[in-house]
């Protein structure tokens, strides 16, 4: 009888030790306690778990007017004289300060073409007067909402355009500061999904692309 009792005590100690080990390795969510992850769409109907963006590790571009951060996946574009400072400016004078491209490789095997993000400004009287108004034509024309980015309130406009099987969705963030119109905007370019042979590609995830572009916009800071 004494030996049987000893065996039972030993088994209880082993089981308790096993539960203690498992509890130290996992949090209440069933994941290791030290893991921090974010679930994002993969663009193919599924999800993938990835670490959240660490914007402090991104590249920084700055002028006397602003700073902005961006990850290495973006390509910095060369700016040429005569480049439009914002979509739908309709000839109003202004300066294109910065331009980035999110390449097709961000959404491979889909109908995604690319996306372009720009920063521009203008102190032109007409540009400032039109800054927070929907564009009459040729640019963002629907006022969506206002959004505060790093302490500054922006008015958000959207538009869509199409041509030769290609579509272009533009989101424009605009604000007037010190008698200057500042525009941070991006255009997502993609092709008509119906134009591809069935099964040759998948539909790109526009929400995923917008989220990546907005994460760059969120770093925009006026000086």
């Amino acid at each position: 009888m004494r030996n049987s009792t000893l065996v039972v005590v030993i088994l209880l100690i082993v089981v308790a030790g096993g539960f203690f080990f498992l509890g130290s390795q996992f949090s209440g969510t069933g994941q290791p306690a030290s893991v921090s992850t974010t679930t994002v769409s993969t663009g193919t109907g599924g999800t993938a778990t990835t670490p959240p963006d660490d914007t402090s590790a991104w590249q920084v571009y700055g002028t006397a007017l602003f700073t902005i951060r961006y990850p290495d996946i973006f390509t910095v574009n060369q700016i040429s004289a005569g480049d439009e400072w914002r979509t739908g400016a309709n000839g109003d004078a202004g300066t294109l300060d910065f331009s980035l491209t999110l390449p097709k490789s961000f959404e491979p095997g889909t109908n995604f073409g690319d996306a372009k993000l720009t920063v521009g400004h203008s102190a032109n009287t007409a540009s400032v007067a039109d800054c927070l108004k929907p564009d009459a034509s040729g640019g963002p024309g629907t006022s969506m909402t206002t959004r505060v980015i790093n302490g500054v309130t922006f008015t958000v406009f959207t538009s869509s355009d199409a041509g030769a099987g290609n579509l272009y969705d533009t989101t424009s963030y605009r604000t007037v500061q010190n008698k200057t119109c500042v525009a941070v905007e991006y255009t997502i370019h993609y092709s008509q999904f119906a134009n591809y042979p069935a099964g040759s590609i998948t539909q790109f995830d526009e929400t995923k692309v917008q989220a990546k572009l907005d994460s760059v916009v969120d770093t925009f800071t006026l000086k």
Side-chain angles (χ1 to χ4, degrees):
M1 180 68 67
R2 184 176 302 174
N3 290 339
S4 298
T5 302
L6 181 60
V7 169
V8 170
V9 171
I10 293 172
L11 287 174
L12 288 174
I13 292 172
V14 170
V15 171
F19 278 114
F20 177 80
F21 174 78
L22 291 173
S24 66
Q25 295 298 308
F26 288 84
S27 66
T29 61
Q31 288 190 352
S34 60
V35 174
S36 176
T37 59
T38 300
T39 300
V40 298
S41 171
T42 62
T44 59
T47 59
T49 302
T50 62
D53 282 332
D54 178 12
T55 60
S56 65
W58 289 2
Q59 301 294 320
V60 181
Y61 180 85
T63 70
L65 181 64
F66 68 89
T67 60
I68 192 169
R69 292 178 178 269
Y70 60 95
D72 289 338
I73 191 173
F74 284 82
T75 301
V76 178
N77 302 319
Q78 184 175 355
I79 295 174
S80 302
D83 285 344
E84 192 172 44
W85 68 279
R86 76 166 179 85
T87 304
N90 294 323
D92 289 348
T95 301
L96 180 62
D97 299 292
F98 187 57
S99 177
L100 289 172
T101 293
L102 182 64
K104 182 178 179 63
S105 57
F106 183 71
E107 279 276 82
T110 72
N111 58 323
F112 175 65
D114 56 29
K116 186 176 180 180
L117 185 149
T118 61
V119 179
H121 78 278
S122 177
N124 176 271
T125 302
S127 298
V128 173
D130 293 339
C131 189
L132 305 183
K133 299 177 182 177
D135 295 322
S137 62
T142 303
S143 180
M144 292 171 55
T145 185
T146 59
R147 184 177 174 196
V148 178
I149 302 173
N150 295 316
V152 177
T153 299
F154 287 78
T155 302
V156 186
F157 302 89
T158 62
S159 70
S160 294
D161 197 7
N166 292 283
L167 299 101
Y168 304 86
D169 295 339
T170 298
T171 301
S172 181
Y173 296 83
R174 301 183 209 158
T175 188
V176 175
Q177 301 288 319
N178 299 319
K179 299 181 179 180
T180 300
C181 176
V182 179
V184 184
E185 59 186 30
Y186 57 77
T187 297
I188 299 173
H189 163 224
Y190 55 102
S191 50
Q192 289 279 7
F193 182 68
N195 290 346
Y196 290 86
S200 62
I201 64 167
T202 58
Q203 179 78 266
F204 90 105
D205 188 341
E206 188 160 10
T207 299
K208 174 185 173 183
V209 175
Q210 288 174 329
K212 178 58 68 175
L213 293 162
D214 278 331
S215 70
V216 175
V217 175
D218 286 344
T219 70
F220 183 80
T221 305
L222 283 168
K223 295 181 179 179

